[in-house]
Each structure stands twice: as structure tokens, then as C-alpha cells.
């Protein structure tokens, strides 16, 4: 008796056909109002529900009688939401540097692990001084450890440029403190204090004094070691009282 086998047709025509349904009013049965601009986006309930548990819970088992009310999602920008839909419909997505962090945020919030990993890989690939602090904030907010470590290492290597960006000034305190405690920043302590003061004027966040105490010297209690200088700290006369030779 012949055993039936699963065979596949060409994937590209299938993906192209589904991509044509993204934000297409034709046969759509749900309308989203997304972003601060309140843009209407059309979709298909059955496809969203079978691909994503978030939408399955959001949309319910079946629409009620009459024309269903639009589903308002005001926190996700329209461009990012359309990227999410593209992924759900086609299992592929076109990412852009200017919006990838918003897509990543949506992927985390909607529980789309595969899309999250695609976004993380893309962020690492396009990371630069203008993007790195924004990426660090997203990493800290959502507990994305590997991305956080990658961003901190990048900032340590490009400290002067990265700490002059708008993204640095908009960091939260939990995202800022690991940077100021790092002893690998390629930046003199005086310049770092100026950067921290600029951040404080913008953010007016607590614990800045504690962060400043850690910015140039660090104590490693676990190994019983004394304070040590950051890599970027310049020699100064008062350092002779610390008895810490420069290397």
C-alpha cells in the first residue's frame, strides 16, 4: 500500500498572493486603527488568529452581528504594524533601519518570537552611533540581554560619538547606569560628566549622583581589588593619592 507523502508547490507565488492581501480591503473582515495618526489598516481575522495568539485573544472566536467596530491600537506606528502583518501573512518581512526598533517592540509585545529574532539580527547588522542608544533602551525595557550587551560594547568603542546623540539624552535611568559604571568607555571622565549633566537636564532622573561616582573608577569587592581607572580616563595630579598606576 502506497504511503501518502507531503509535497510542496512553489513558495514564491503563494507568498506573493498573500502579500497582496496585506492592508487590502478586499475580503477583509477586521479593521484596525493604528498609531497616533489613526491610520486604518485592513486584515483578515482567520489568518491573524491562526498565526498569533495575541490576535486570537484580541479578536475573539467570531465577530458579532453587523459591522464590527475598528480595533484601536494607538501605541504601535502604522509602518511597524504593517510590517507585522506582512510577516504574519508571508513569514517574511522587509525591515528598515528607521523603523526596525518599532517592529521589534511590536514583535515582543505580540509574542512573535521568530519576528523578534529577525529584528534583532537586523538591528545588530545596521547598528551605528545614531541608533545604538535607542536600541539599548529597547533592550533594557524588554530584557533583551544579548542586544543590551552588544549595544554597550558598541558604545564603549564609540563613546564620544554615541554620547552626543539625542538617543543618549533620552535614555532611562536603568539604561544609563550600566554605561556610566563601565570602565571601558573611551572617554575622559570630565567629558563623561558633561554628557551626564546634559542627560540630567533633559531627563531629570534620580540617582545621577550615584552614577557619577561610578563613571571613572570601579571597586571590585568580590576580588578584594581597589578602584581601577576606566580605559578612557586621562592622568591627573590627584590620582597619585589613589596609588593606582596607569597602564
Amino acid at each position: 500500500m502506497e504511503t501518502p507523502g507531503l509535497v510542496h508547490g512553489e513558495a514564491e507565488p503563494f507568498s506573493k498572493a498573500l502579500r497582496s492581501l496585506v492592508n487590502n480591503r478586499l475580503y477583509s473582515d477586521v479593521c484596525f486603527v493604528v498609531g497616533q495618526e489613526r491610520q486604518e489598516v485592513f486584515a483578515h481575522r482567520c489568518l491573524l488568529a491562526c498565526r498569533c495568539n495575541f490576535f486570537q485573544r484580541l479578536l475573539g472566536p467570531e465577530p458579532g452581528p453587523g459591522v464590527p467596530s475598528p480595533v484601536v491600537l494607538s501605541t504601535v506606528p502604522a509602518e511597524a504594524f504593517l510590517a507585522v502583518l506582512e510577516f504574519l501573512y508571508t513569514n517574511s518581512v522587509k525591515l528598515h533601519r528607521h523603523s526596525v526598533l518599532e517592529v521589534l517592540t511590536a514583535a515582543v509585545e505580540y509574542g512573535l518570537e521568530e519576528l523578534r529574532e529577525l529584528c534583532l539580527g537586523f538591528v545588530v547588522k545596521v547598528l551605528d552611533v545614531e541608533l545604538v542608544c535607542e536600541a539599548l533602551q529597547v533592550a533594557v525595557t524588554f530584557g533583551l540581554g544579548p542586544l543590551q550587551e552588544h549595544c554597550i560594547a558598541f558604545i564603549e568603542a564609540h563613546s564620544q560619538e554615541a554620547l552626543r546623540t539625542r538617543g543618549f539624552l533620552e535614555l532611562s535611568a536603568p539604561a544609563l547606569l550600566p554605561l556610566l559604571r563601565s570602565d571601558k568607555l573611551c572617554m575622559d571622565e570630565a567629558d563623561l560628566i558633561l554628557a551626564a549633566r546634559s542627560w540630567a537636564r533633559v531627563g531629570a532622573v534620580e540617582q545621577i549622583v550615584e552614577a557619577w561616582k561610578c563613571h571613572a573608577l570601579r571597586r571590585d569587592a568580590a576580588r578584594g581589588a581597589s578602584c581601577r581607572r576606566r580605559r578612557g580616563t586621562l592622568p591627573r595630579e590627584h590620582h597619585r593619592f589613589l596609588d593606582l598606576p596607569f597602564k
Side-chain angles (χ1 to χ4, degrees), residues 180-198:
L180 298 186
R181 291 189 174 117
S182 171
D183 62 356
K184 296 181 182 179
L185 292 174
C186 295
M187 193 174 194
D188 184 55
E189 60 195 71
D191 294 331
L192 187 56
I193 287 176
L194 290 177
R197 288 178 62 186
S198 297

Side-chain angles (χ1 to χ4, degrees), residues 109-219:
E109 292 179 341
Y110 298 165
L112 298 171
E113 295 185 5
E114 187 176 2
L115 179 57
R116 181 194 65 190
E117 293 304 312
L118 292 174
C119 291
L120 288 173
F122 187 83
V123 170
V124 171
K125 182 179 178 181
V126 302
L127 201 63
D128 58 23
V129 294
E130 294 296 329
L131 185 65
V132 66
C133 288
E134 296 178 34
L136 174 61
Q137 183 60 66
V138 172
V140 171
T141 299
F142 294 106
L144 304 173
L147 179 59
Q148 179 177 339
E149 294 174 2
H150 191 89
C151 290
I152 290 177
F154 187 98
I155 294 172
E156 289 171 342
H158 304 85
S159 308
Q160 292 282 353
E161 301 91 342
L163 270 62
R164 291 184 180 131
T165 63
R166 182 69 188 179
F168 170 76
L169 297 177
E170 295 176 349
L171 286 175
S172 65
L176 176 70
L177 291 177
L179 288 179
L180 298 186
R181 291 189 174 117
S182 171
D183 62 356
K184 296 181 182 179
L185 292 174
C186 295
M187 193 174 194
D188 184 55
E189 60 195 71
D191 294 331
L192 187 56
I193 287 176
L194 290 177
R197 288 178 62 186
S198 297
W199 169 86
R201 285 195 295 268
V202 172
V205 183
E206 300 177 358
Q207 297 183 335
I208 190 64
V209 175
E210 179 184 352
W212 285 353
K213 289 191 297 184
C214 300
H215 78 274
L217 302 172
R218 186 175 69 181
R219 182 174 300 278

